[in-house]
Structure formats: C-alpha cells, structure tokens
Amino acid sequence: IRPGESFLLLLQPEGASEEEAEAIELRGAPAATLRRSTALLQRLGQDPAAWLAGVRESMERGDLPLAAALLFAFDGPSAPDLDALRRQVYRMGCDPEPATLP
C-alpha cells in the first residue's frame, strides 16, 4: 500500500450470507510517517533490546500501529522477550476478554 492509498478488504466465510461479511479498510500512512518508520527500523538494527524498547515507547506514546508494526516486522530479531511479547499480543487478538500487557 502506498502512502495515503486505501483498499477495502471484504471477508466472508465460505457459505455465509452477505450480511455476515466484514469490511476492513486498509489505508497507507502518510509518506512522512513511512519515512520516519523506515529510519527507525534502520536504527534498531538487530538489537533485540532496542526493538523491545521501540515497541514499548510506541505503546506509551499511544502509537499502537507503530508498536504492532515493529513487533511483527519481518526485519525484527528473534529473542525470548520479543517472542514472548509477540505470542502474548497474538493471543490477546484472539481472546474475547481484554487483557493488559506486562
């Protein structure tokens, strides 16, 4: 998705009626935001502690999209703390009961 570009994603289980479909709008961030994010990824390198700090700082600022992008970026390193946080966030997304991060 390019900066500012948007797409509508329609999800409908096989055999479900149209009323059971869900629509999700995907929208590319502004170009300046994407440039800052790319620069941040380069600064983090492969240091797991830096990645974990970046995720937590983004969350503290309320920038949940950036926190999620950092946490699940393909470029991110694998480390016990990061992997545990990834699993916890994934489980929270599948759990109907709200939870808090450590």
Side-chain angles (χ1 to χ4, degrees):
I1 298 177
R2 299 193 192 295
E5 193 174 38
S6 67
F7 292 92
L8 189 60
L9 177 64
L10 296 172
L11 301 174
Q12 181 179 6
E14 190 174 326
S17 68
E18 287 185 25
E19 292 80 32
E20 295 175 286
E22 290 291 327
I24 300 171
E25 183 180 6
L26 304 174
R27 183 175 306 212
T33 300
L34 293 176
R35 281 192 299 274
R36 283 192 305 273
S37 298
T38 299
L40 175 60
L41 287 173
Q42 291 172 349
R43 281 195 311 274
L44 295 177
Q46 288 299 305
D47 179 3
W51 279 80
L52 190 56
V55 170
R56 292 193 184 279
E57 289 170 15
S58 298
M59 290 174 61
E60 289 170 5
R61 284 194 318 270
D63 192 346
L64 298 181
L66 178 58
L70 290 175
L71 192 57
F72 293 103
F74 291 117
D75 297 337
S78 179
D81 289 347
L82 274 171
D83 294 340
L85 184 55
R86 288 176 178 121
R87 283 189 301 277
Q88 183 177 2
V89 168
Y90 178 79
R91 281 192 305 269
M92 287 170 57
C94 298
D95 189 351
E97 296 297 319
T100 57
L101 292 175

